[in-house]
Amino acid sequence: MDQVKISRALLSVSDKSGIVELGQALAAQGVELVSTGGTAKALRDAGLEVRDISDLTGFPEMMDGRVKTLHPKVHGGLLAVRGNAEHVAAMDAHDIGAIDLVVVNLYPFAQTVARGAGREEVIENIDIGGPSMVRSAAKNHESVAILTDPADYPLVFGGETSLDQRRKFAAKAYAATAAYDAAIAGWFAHVDQGERFPASVVVPMIKQSELRYGENPHQIAALYTQAAGGVNGIAQARQVQGKELSYNNYNDADAALELVSEFRDGPPTVVIVKHANPCGVATGATLVEAYEAAFACDTVSAFGGIIAVNRPLDGPTAEAISGIFTEVVAAPDADDAARAVFARKKNLRLLLTGDLPDPARRGRTMKSIAGGFLIQSRDNGALGDLKIVTKRQPTEQELADCRFAWTVAKHVKSNAIVYARDGAIAGIGAGQMNRLESARIAAWKAKDAAEKAGWDQPRTIGSAVASDAFFPFADGLLAAVEAGATAVIQPGGSIRDDEVIAAADEAGLAMVFTGIRHFRH
């Protein structure tokens, strides 16, 4: 059967959005409406004639509504194969009427969990009858239409459905019940049972958009968000202007937002990212001062980069950013002057994020490997007490620069070396196979920046240097000394720590150990 006329519809929804309009449209087509509890009341209050589910089944709703649709006269009417003589005979023998349309959305389990409800209330918001009807109707989609999304209601206003529609409805319905069950399973495992890594992991996600292509033009890509309980970030940002975001835009913008969020309670801060690595980071008295200092870190890499800021954008900052080609700018908000400036750059994407993510939030990250996935807790480790391991004590300014460099190094691909001075990055060495090369690259970039800016000396002179993991040998430390660093922050923990500390003492450095590392692979 292709076209199926809807003669009887069963409506039982938690979210009442659009249900009255649907009921009115179906009633106008002569469809019999069968409903339950609050849904039936909403329809009757709108003046519609509704048959109670208890009248259909011959049994009252009972056990606080836990049992109302779990009945052969419901599921028989959904599952019966219309062209099967035995099924038709069974329907006749047991007075089971066919149901052509089911409209169901489920108890708000995820929302109940999100608002911090107690265990008993959470359990009561596990829907049983709803998913059962959804699955029955979806299985028999040759004859029955199942609607789980209010956005689809207008598609059946005409009182009939096509086979192509019913197939699409069924696919959407099974995805909805799968996501629902995944949320329940996740709550039981992580919250109720306190398991860090349960035996089975299902991550329900909802497609937001298909992208032009992936990392490269021969790859395809799409953006998905978590079905419930996720953090607001780049995926939820409001795009004010500019062309469609690409896979790489999302990836780089996420890297920039995560780093600038480390400074969400700090002074005005600007982060510039290129290929998921920061190439400029600085704080300042104003946002435009912070941008100018961040841009000076690496004026070459900043071209075509991604910028994130921790304050609402103003006109002067927007004017400064507009001085070069920039792919994406992410900010909590932007004033009218900033928006007017960016409006002249039609291809620039302006993303407004609202609140910045909490860098200390819990969560898990996932990475695919051949044949599987690696899942780990987020790197939300924060600096605690620093252990001074050299003879020379660091000054207050050196300690501040150490902390600043360390915060940025957390977001640089390993092996990572970061020089910082006076609240601005001086040089970054990222992604090298040994730490010595990262130290040399960072120093070279700082020297290059000084030449381009016309400074007397690179900003590595008198800087603090951060290493995301311990120095396995003294050579990386000595490269930092050659670059002019006067203070070092690193995790410590190498079997050659004594050798590295001795080299620092000989060079007159101040060095602190964090006891925590930040590999980023």
Side-chain angles (χ1 to χ4, degrees):
M1 295 191 300
D2 188 356
Q3 294 296 124
V4 170
K5 185 179 186 308
I6 302 170
S7 298
R8 174 183 287 168
L10 196 165
L11 297 79
S12 180
V13 295
S14 175
D15 176 5
K16 305 297 190 296
S17 302
I19 197 64
V20 169
E21 292 79 3
L22 174 60
Q24 291 169 334
L26 293 174
Q29 299 296 327
V31 177
E32 179 188 15
L33 304 181
V34 181
S35 191
T36 64
T39 308
K41 182 180 184 303
L43 295 171
R44 287 196 180 103
D45 287 347
L48 294 170
E49 185 176 341
V50 182
R51 185 179 181 186
D52 286 324
I53 194 73
S54 57
D55 180 51
L56 180 73
T57 63
F59 277 83
E61 295 185 27
M62 60 182 70
M63 301 177 184
D64 298 319
R66 284 190 171 199
V67 180
K68 51 191 173 189
T69 59
L70 297 169
H71 193 280
K73 286 197 174 181
V74 173
H75 289 274
L78 296 176
L79 286 166
V81 177
R82 309 300 165 83
N84 184 303
E86 291 185 5
H87 288 203
V88 173
M91 292 175 74
D92 290 339
H94 298 285
D95 192 26
I96 297 174
I99 299 172
D100 308 303
L101 170 67
V102 176
V103 183
V104 170
N105 52 59
L106 309 177
Y107 293 171
F109 176 83
Q111 295 89 327
T112 304
V113 171
R115 62 180 172 79
R119 187 178 192 278
E120 183 176 337
E121 186 179 356
V122 169
I123 296 297
E124 283 305 311
N125 276 276
I126 297 176
D127 204 329
I128 302 300
S132 300
M133 287 192 293
V134 169
R135 294 175 64 83
S136 291
K139 177 174 181 177
N140 201 24
H141 62 269
E142 290 287 332
S143 304
V144 182
I146 170 65
L147 294 183
T148 55
D149 183 354
D152 293 331
Y153 292 175
L155 298 176
V156 300
F157 279 5
E160 62 179 29
T161 60
S162 68
L163 179 58
D164 183 62
Q165 282 180 317
R166 294 192 298 277
R167 285 176 174 172
K168 290 178 179 177
F169 294 155
K172 196 169 187 176
Y174 278 122
T177 57
Y180 194 75
D181 286 340
I184 295 169
W187 178 84
F188 268 108
H190 297 302
V191 180
D192 194 56
Q193 300 300 309
E195 296 182 34
R196 291 183 299 174
F197 299 105
S200 178
V201 175
V202 181
V203 182
M205 294 187 290
I206 299 171
K207 186 175 76 172
Q208 298 301 311
S209 62
E210 292 190 16
L211 309 180
R212 286 179 295 162
Y213 52 81
E215 281 184 282
N216 300 290
H218 62 274
Q219 295 170 273
I220 59 176
L223 170 67
Y224 284 78
T225 58
Q226 285 186 264
V231 66
N232 284 334
I234 284 297
Q236 289 76 27
R238 180 167 63 92
Q239 184 170 352
V240 174
Q241 68 164 66
K243 59 186 179 180
E244 179 187 354
L245 289 160
S246 70
Y247 178 99
N248 291 332
N249 291 154
Y250 274 112
N251 189 52
D252 290 348
D254 178 67
L257 185 67
E258 288 282 18
L259 175 48
V260 85
S261 294
E262 299 275 1
F263 301 94
R264 67 177 189 165
D265 298 321
T269 304
V270 172
V271 169
I272 307 175
V273 161
K274 193 70 171 288
H275 294 183
N277 270 312
C279 61
V281 185
T283 61
T286 64
L287 207 56
V288 68
E289 288 182 16
Y291 171 74
E292 289 168 350
F295 177 66
C297 295
D298 188 343
T299 57
V300 175
S301 298
F303 184 86
I306 309 289
I307 295 174
V309 302
N310 70 341
R311 293 283 192 280
L313 277 166
D314 53 51
T317 307
E319 288 284 4
I321 290 172
S322 295
I324 64 164
F325 169 59
T326 299
E327 289 273 10
V328 179
V329 177
D333 204 346
D335 65 20
D336 291 341
R339 296 188 194 205
V341 170
F342 286 145
R344 303 197 299 263
K345 300 281 186 176
K346 293 183 179 179
N347 287 333
L348 182 146
R349 292 87 152 185
L350 175 59
L351 304 180
L352 302 184
T353 64
D355 291 338
L356 298 178
D358 181 2
R361 70 187 184 276
R362 296 181 179 181
R364 289 170 175 77
T365 62
M366 180 184 300
K367 180 179 180 179
S368 64
I369 60 174
F373 293 86
L374 296 171
I375 298 178
Q376 65 174 346
S377 59
R378 286 189 71 256
D379 182 5
N380 57 3
L383 277 179
D385 294 332
L386 300 178
K387 180 182 179 182
I388 301 171
V389 295
T390 49
K391 295 176 182 177
R392 186 171 79 77
Q393 301 284 307
T395 66
E396 287 300 316
Q397 183 60 54
E398 285 175 330
L399 277 176
D401 287 339
C402 278
R403 291 179 181 277
F404 185 80
W406 179 257
T407 300
V408 174
K410 174 183 174 182
H411 295 264
V412 178
K413 296 292 178 67
S414 299
N415 287 315
I417 293 291
V418 175
Y419 296 91
R421 194 184 77 190
D422 299 331
I425 293 304
I428 296 175
Q432 299 305 301
M433 286 66 74
N434 68 72
R435 205 158 296 280
L436 174 59
E437 290 303 311
S438 290
R440 287 172 172 168
I441 288 171
W444 173 81
K445 291 178 78 68
K447 183 179 179 181
D448 185 63
E451 290 175 356
K452 286 182 169 62
W455 299 331
D456 292 338
Q457 59 186 19
R459 290 195 296 193
T460 50
I461 304 298
S463 68
V465 62
S467 175
D468 64 338
F470 60 65
F471 285 103
F473 302 98
D475 54 2
L477 182 77
L478 295 175
V481 173
E482 292 176 11
T486 60
V488 182
I489 183 170
Q490 60 135 321
S494 168
I495 60 173
R496 293 184 176 85
D497 273 350
D498 289 344
E499 175 187 328
V500 174
I501 293 170
D505 281 333
E506 185 175 350
L509 296 178
M511 185 160 65
V512 295
F513 281 2
T514 66
I516 184 174
R517 80 176 188 195
H518 284 304
F519 271 160
R520 189 177 184 86
H521 288 170

